[in-house]
Amino acid sequence: MTTAPVKSNVPDRAGLKAWLSSDAPTSRGHARAVQFYMGWMKLYENKLAFLGFLIILSLVLMAIFAPLLATTEPNAQDLAKRLTAPGVDGHLLGTDELGRDIWSRLVYGSRITLLIVGIVAFTAPVFGLLIGTVAGYLGGWVDQALMRLVDIFLAFPKLILALAFVAALGAGIESAIIAISLTAWPPYARIARAETLTIRNADYISAVRLQGAGVMHIIIGHVWPLCLSSIIVRVTLDMAGIILTAAGLGFLGLGAQPPEPEWGAMISAGRKFILDHWWVAAMPGMAIFIVSLGFNLLGDGLRDILDPKKSQS
Amino acid sequence: MSDTLLSVEDLWVRFPTRSGTVDAVRGISFSVGRERVGIVGESGSGKSMTGRSILRLIRSPGQMEAKSIKFNGENLLDYSERQMRKIRGHQISMVMQDPKFSLNPVHTVGKQICEALRLHTKSSRREARQGALEMLEAVQIRNPERVFNSYPHELSGGMGQRVMIAMMLITDPKLLIADEPTSALDVTVQMKVLAIMDKLVQERGMGLIFISHDLNLVSSFCDRIIIMYAGRIVETCKASELHNATHPYTRGLLNALPRIEEPKGRLEALQRQDSWKQEVSVDARV
Amino acid sequence: MPGSDSAVMERKPWVAEATKDARLEIKDLNVYFGEGPDRFQAVKNVSVKVQQGGSFGIVGESGSGKSTVLRAVCGLVESWDGEIDIDGAPVSHKRDKVFARKIQMVFQDPYASLHPRHTVDRVLSEPLKLHGFDDIDGRVLRALDDVGLGADFRFRYPHQLSGGQRQRVAVARALMLEPEILLLDEPTSALDVSVQAEILNLFADLRKEHNLTYVMVTHDLAVVAHMCDEIAVMQHGEVVEVMDVEAMRSSTPETAYTQELLKASMGYDAEFFGDS
């Protein structure tokens, strides 16, 4: 069985598969590609997780190709056609109280959802990971101090704390993102600390200590990679909650401001007509439901895929 | 032979994996009488799977298959799951490597031993307690009352393993399967536990299947040895005649062992041959 | 007990003998764990001396403190007092990078001593990068070759290796910084006998090639008899006896505990253990 070390020398389909599932990778890149391929195969085999992955993928594609998918401008008003029922006059999901096409608004709204999710997903877990691993690895008074800080943040109800931050920072999508990030990191710190406590006395950590490596080198290079999988799982499972919090802030009028097509704000606007014109609130509600479900399915699947204990058995 | 307790014919254990079926045990046949039979092999040789499959304890997705597993003349393969439950622990008991995983951490030792007894005999609470205390004494626990009331985590490794043996033998089984029962223990403790097990098995006229990776230990403890490699039996012999073993694998294992009495400059590394995996399994029935 | 007092004294090299070639000397080492009322002394007044190029064995059962001695020597345990000398110079509690190039350690369980998410290449090149070595590629390949693994293994992850192969990687890692002393903490007890033979042979070869000094901790007397010239027996945190390998082979140890250990490692003997 030949292996192709250089990527440009791409072998045929069967050869590529063998290259990707090779037992003896020939370069760093190859080793990583094999790892990635194995993870991908596991995701592919887990039907529900793969469905979740497809939902998230379509959300991303929707955000990228919003101008192509939308039938009208998201903020274009047409008062003559206000509150048109779904399917009438080419309005796939109907129109709202100002005659704006709900489908187009949902498509553009996916950009806002993705922005919130993306920024929160990158800031909160990284900060929590840093705090948790440092606390867990160093122990002693550092651990005590950092964990009490975490306790203080955890003691507040999430939405209330976010509300307070938004009230202080002023309403708007940016404030909403910052507020959500600030309230989302403590659970990650908890998880990372718990993981670190099981890792810090492992022989491979002792071995790198014996080589004279510094504390941060060990934390980032050796502890982080092992905490990462449980953090990623937690992040995907939390995504649904983050979307809901963002929607909640939007619903309360503290998140995205009109006329931005944020899903939560759209539900908020639609609740006035919920009895006679259900679609105005129901459509963005459906969108939130589907995306939340997607993240939850993916997160559950990732738990199985990334859990090293499961892959060993 | 009329004295045969257990006779296994053509046993297979298979595990389906993504890259095809893996045969953990490949068509082995052996028998056990009222004697101590040692099954020796390295990790992955299928020795533990063999022990488990006698009790039909292979977990899904693993599958077992055999022409027959005759215990006291009855084919265990014909038994329903319910009938098997009456065999397990009652007629055939099993002691595992680590007592920590086999004992329930939230119940006292005494309660678990009594339960084991009451499950199989219709004894009263008082009788069960009496029996448990006697059994604990039989495994040379000096203060059976105290151990009876203690929780598993309060016991040392050697003590835990004695408790396990007590629990497994209290139902008076005909056959005991011991899967690396002393590997987690210190050598001196190990010997004491083995001595206790040896004595009880002899007194009660039981059969013993002793599964271990330690050739030295098995050859000094058992009457007969079965040597497994890659799911097959490559050789079987009387323990006292192990030094005359002929199969290159057995010889290789013997030569790879460092020995205190006879110093060697280099140990002989085992040269594995692919042909060993193809050979027909040796019939170890007596 | 046979043997006069003077004969006993003669056979105790840790008492007072020429100190010239000691590569590693431990004097009155005490190690403590925990604080306050929970404080527990795991090692009590241990003194041993390891000759330059020698191979010293410490045997004992679990809880005897044998591994703790090694961990104190290499700096993984900091709560100790006494003196640890390397080449006649005492080492401090905090260790630096210079120390790392003198002493390295091989751990017991090869399944726990390699980082599960790091390739062999990363495991081996990391110490080199930390210490600013040049020719990293060349050194990694030579190290793999040294421990009998080919270049094929370079980019594999630990889960793609067998137990013996992992232990070879761990040995290679310990050798990357070209240390003079190698501490071996039960390096073969998690391995099958045939693999154990290969690893023990590897240690013998490396010792010759790199002029290494070994300190090996194990519960297996046969392994220690094979590998070491001098053997200390530990029980309950104390060294109960130091003997040379000949004394062990001829089964003439002094203490009853060592006798029992030796007997137990010879195999099961119903008469000896049956009526205890």
Side-chain angles (χ1 to χ4, degrees):
Chain A
M1 196 130 302
T2 54
T3 51
V6 193
K7 281 219 170 155
S8 60
N9 178 12
V10 173
D12 53 67
R13 248 185 97 80
L16 182 68
K17 205 168 172 189
W19 187 79
L20 280 172
S21 40
S22 162
D23 253 354
T26 47
S27 71
R28 258 160 235 163
H30 187 182
R32 226 165 280 146
V34 171
Q35 276 285 82
F36 187 79
Y37 178 71
M38 289 302 165
W40 169 254
M41 285 312 288
K42 273 196 244 164
L43 178 66
Y44 184 73
E45 278 164 20
N46 186 337
K47 289 301 162 216
L48 275 178
F50 196 68
L51 176 66
F53 173 77
L54 286 181
I55 292 175
I56 308 307
L57 187 69
S58 9
L59 177 75
V60 173
L61 292 177
M62 199 183 207
I64 294 172
F65 298 109
L68 299 176
L69 291 169
T71 47
T72 64
E73 278 292 305
N75 296 330
Q77 300 181 10
D78 184 353
L79 289 174
K81 286 187 183 169
R82 66 193 292 265
L83 298 172
T84 309
V88 178
D89 286 346
H91 293 295
L92 193 60
L93 302 178
T95 63
D96 65 6
E97 76 280 13
L98 296 172
R100 294 175 295 195
D101 182 55
I102 293 180
W103 163 249
S104 305
R105 286 179 67 74
L106 282 183
V107 168
Y108 274 93
S110 66
R111 288 184 166 181
I112 299 175
T113 303
L114 215 56
L115 180 78
I116 297 172
V117 161
I119 293 180
V120 173
F122 272 98
T123 51
V126 172
F127 187 64
L129 188 62
L130 184 70
I131 299 286
T133 48
V134 168
Y137 186 78
L138 292 179
W141 66 267
V142 180
D143 184 28
Q144 288 291 327
L146 289 175
M147 281 300 123
R148 293 303 77 76
L149 183 72
V150 168
D151 286 343
I152 291 170
F153 270 86
L154 278 174
F156 287 103
K158 229 177 180 178
L159 193 62
I160 306 293
L161 192 60
L163 273 177
F165 277 116
V166 173
L169 296 166
I173 192 80
E174 303 81 12
S175 317
I177 292 171
I178 294 170
I180 295 170
S181 300
L182 281 171
T183 56
W185 68 268
Y188 301 118
R190 272 277 176 87
I191 296 172
R193 177 174 174 272
E195 290 267 324
T196 309
L197 289 180
T198 64
I199 298 166
R200 66 188 253 197
N201 291 324
D203 284 347
Y204 48 85
I205 300 291
S206 297
V208 70
R209 275 175 64 194
L210 287 187
Q211 291 161 3
V215 170
M216 279 327 275
H217 178 97
I218 294 173
I219 289 179
I220 294 173
H222 295 253
V223 178
W224 278 25
L226 292 170
C227 297
L228 221 50
S229 50
S230 47
I231 294 278
I232 289 176
V233 170
R234 180 72 200 233
V235 168
T236 38
L237 289 173
D238 277 358
M239 274 311 140
I242 289 168
I243 293 172
L244 290 176
T245 312
L249 286 174
F251 182 83
L252 293 168
L254 294 166
Q257 296 302 304
E260 278 184 274
E262 201 271 324
W263 295 350
M266 286 168 72
I267 298 179
S268 172
R271 77 174 188 278
K272 283 172 256 168
F273 318 99
I274 200 150
L275 292 178
D276 303 324
H277 312 282
W278 54 270
W279 59 88
V280 184
M283 291 307 169
M286 279 300 278
I288 292 171
F289 165 72
I290 290 172
V291 173
S292 300
L293 182 71
F295 274 115
N296 269 333
L297 290 178
L298 182 64
D300 262 343
L302 284 180
R303 177 154 44 204
D304 298 345
I305 292 163
L306 294 173
D307 188 355
K309 280 161 234 136
K310 273 219 164 150
S311 57
Q312 268 165 17
S313 64
Chain B
M1 212 180 280
S2 61
D3 218 22
T4 305
L5 264 176
L6 176 83
S7 174
V8 175
E9 192 182 355
D10 198 21
L11 172 72
W12 289 78
V13 178
R14 297 188 176 92
F15 283 88
T17 65
R18 202 179 298 157
S19 44
T21 311
V22 174
D23 296 325
V25 178
R26 307 164 187 236
I28 64 170
S29 304
F30 65 96
S31 69
V32 182
R34 296 178 201 286
E35 55 178 344
R36 296 164 295 187
V37 175
I39 301 183
V40 196
E42 298 190 287
S43 47
S45 59
K47 57 186 192 301
S48 290
M49 285 301 157
T50 305
R52 294 179 145 269
S53 49
I54 294 168
L55 286 172
R56 295 193 12 211
L57 283 173
I58 302 293
R59 272 188 221 110
S60 184
Q63 295 154 354
M64 62 170 286
E65 218 175 85
K67 281 215 181 91
S68 69
I69 299 181
K70 285 214 170 99
F71 177 68
N72 267 344
E74 302 255 358
N75 193 350
L76 294 184
L77 293 172
D78 297 338
Y79 276 31
S80 68
E81 189 52 36
R82 241 180 97 165
Q83 285 170 304
M84 268 319 283
R85 250 178 268 150
K86 289 209 174 121
I87 293 286
R88 290 181 202 133
H90 190 40
Q91 304 276 342
I92 308 177
S93 282
M94 193 157 176
V95 179
M96 309 274 207
Q97 178 168 353
D98 200 333
K100 284 202 188 68
F101 296 120
S102 313
L103 290 170
N104 187 336
V106 298
H107 293 309
T108 60
V109 163
K111 187 175 173 194
Q112 296 184 55
I113 300 179
C114 289
E115 235 165 55
L117 184 61
R118 282 161 58 85
L119 211 61
H120 293 288
T121 58
K122 290 178 196 77
S123 51
S124 72
R125 247 165 232 285
R126 285 253 318 266
E127 282 164 358
R129 187 185 154 83
Q130 198 50 44
L133 285 173
E134 272 164 24
M135 199 63 224
L136 285 174
E137 220 174 310
V139 292
Q140 293 177 20
I141 288 175
R142 267 184 224 115
N143 193 343
E145 286 277 353
R146 194 180 58 81
V147 172
F148 186 91
N149 290 318
S150 56
Y151 287 89
H153 68 93
E154 297 170 320
L155 304 174
S156 68
M159 202 63 95
Q161 206 55 302
R162 286 178 204 208
V163 167
M164 274 310 292
I165 291 170
M167 194 163 137
M168 289 302 141
L169 293 188
I170 196 162
T171 54
D172 233 339
K174 306 271 183 315
L175 178 68
L176 179 67
I177 303 170
D179 189 353
E180 304 261 9
T182 57
S183 306
L185 307 176
D186 284 326
V187 266
T188 51
V189 183
Q190 177 176 11
M191 291 304 157
K192 282 170 196 147
V193 171
L194 284 181
I196 292 164
M197 200 159 83
D198 190 19
K199 185 162 161 259
L200 291 173
V201 166
Q202 299 239 355
E203 275 172 7
R204 298 169 181 225
M206 294 163 53
L208 172 69
I209 299 179
F210 188 82
I211 300 170
S212 174
H213 67 282
D214 190 335
L215 198 53
N216 203 10
L217 180 66
V218 170
S219 69
S220 58
F221 182 69
C222 295
D223 304 313
R224 204 148 58 82
I225 303 184
I226 292 170
I227 293 143
M228 286 187 72
Y229 178 75
R232 290 196 163 83
I233 297 176
V234 293
E235 190 160 15
T236 175
C237 64
K238 277 192 176 157
S240 52
E241 281 158 22
L242 180 68
H243 55 275
N244 295 328
T246 51
H247 194 277
Y249 177 68
T250 319
R251 295 250 43 108
L253 280 186
L254 284 170
N255 292 335
L257 273 175
R259 285 179 197 283
I260 298 176
E261 336 68 280
E262 35 186 300
K264 316 176 212 186
R266 278 184 84 74
L267 297 167
E268 219 167 288
L270 181 67
Q271 302 297 326
R272 286 160 209 275
Q273 283 152 28
D274 281 342
S275 62
W276 298 347
K277 292 185 184 167
Q278 317 305 328
E279 285 167 16
V280 179
S281 181
V282 175
D283 192 336
R285 281 177 293 185
V286 181
Chain C
M1 180 116 325
S4 65
D5 276 348
S6 64
V8 173
M9 287 303 286
E10 267 174 27
R11 227 196 263 150
K12 286 184 177 173
W14 78 95
V15 171
E17 257 182 50
T19 52
K20 47 179 181 178
D21 272 320
R23 168 130 276 174
L24 172 71
E25 188 167 7
I26 301 170
K27 293 177 200 159
D28 292 326
L29 180 74
N30 293 297
V31 183
Y32 310 93
F33 288 124
E35 273 165 30
D38 295 333
R39 195 162 116 133
F40 162 72
Q41 186 167 6
V43 174
K44 298 168 193 156
N45 285 318
V46 165
S47 301
V48 290
K49 198 164 68 182
V50 184
Q51 304 298 330
Q52 155 103 43
S55 174
F56 192 93
I58 303 176
V59 295
E61 301 189 291
S62 53
S64 64
K66 56 190 195 303
S67 290
T68 311
V69 171
L70 282 200
R71 288 180 171 261
V73 168
C74 67
L76 287 173
V77 173
E78 284 177 17
S79 50
W80 55 271
D81 58 41
E83 198 174 318
I84 299 172
D85 293 350
I86 292 177
D87 295 328
V91 299
S92 63
H93 280 67
K94 282 268 173 212
R95 308 298 161 79
D96 52 12
K97 281 193 178 176
V98 180
F99 179 80
R101 295 175 63 169
K102 281 222 156 94
I103 289 196
Q104 282 294 321
M105 183 152 153
V106 177
F107 297 88
Q108 172 177 9
D109 184 356
Y111 290 85
S113 72
L114 296 180
H115 197 288
R117 299 279 160 95
H118 288 176
T119 59
V120 172
D121 177 63
R122 171 143 187 211
V123 168
L124 298 185
S125 57
E126 188 166 28
L128 299 175
K129 286 178 189 152
L130 276 169
H131 287 260
F133 278 77
D134 55 358
D135 186 25
I136 289 179
D137 282 346
R139 282 171 192 272
V140 168
L141 288 173
R142 274 198 301 279
L144 281 174
D145 194 48
D146 260 1
V147 296
L149 295 173
D152 279 2
F153 289 89
R154 187 170 169 195
F155 296 104
R156 292 197 198 182
Y157 286 91
H159 67 85
Q160 294 168 313
L161 305 175
S162 70
Q165 289 165 347
R166 286 175 194 225
Q167 199 59 310
R168 283 168 192 268
V169 173
V171 173
R173 169 178 63 191
L175 292 175
M176 291 316 284
L177 295 175
E178 298 163 3
E180 292 149 5
I181 305 172
L182 212 51
L183 307 177
L184 310 173
D185 186 4
E186 305 244 15
T188 58
S189 62
L191 305 173
D192 280 330
V193 274
S194 60
V195 183
Q196 165 174 290
E198 291 168 21
I199 298 287
L200 290 179
N201 285 340
L202 174 68
F203 281 133
D205 296 343
L206 290 172
R207 186 174 156 205
K208 252 184 256 157
E209 256 170 65
H210 297 266
N211 192 23
L212 292 164
T213 303
Y214 286 156
V215 182
M216 182 187 221
V217 154
T218 177
H219 67 273
D220 189 331
L221 272 72
V223 167
V224 102
H226 175 75
M227 281 281 293
C228 302
D229 336 311
E230 228 181 326
I231 293 135
V233 182
M234 284 187 74
Q235 187 188 19
H236 307 315
E238 286 172 284
V239 173
V240 295
E241 183 164 6
V242 177
M243 58 187 163
D244 62 20
V245 69
E246 290 311 319
M248 187 164 141
R249 287 226 178 86
S250 52
S251 282
T252 53
E254 290 151 16
T255 59
Y257 178 67
T258 316
Q259 296 272 18
E260 196 186 342
L261 266 187
L262 260 174
K263 189 73 199 167
S265 60
M266 297 284 193
Y268 177 71
D269 183 338
E271 279 161 36
F272 188 84
F273 298 102
D275 21 274
S276 54

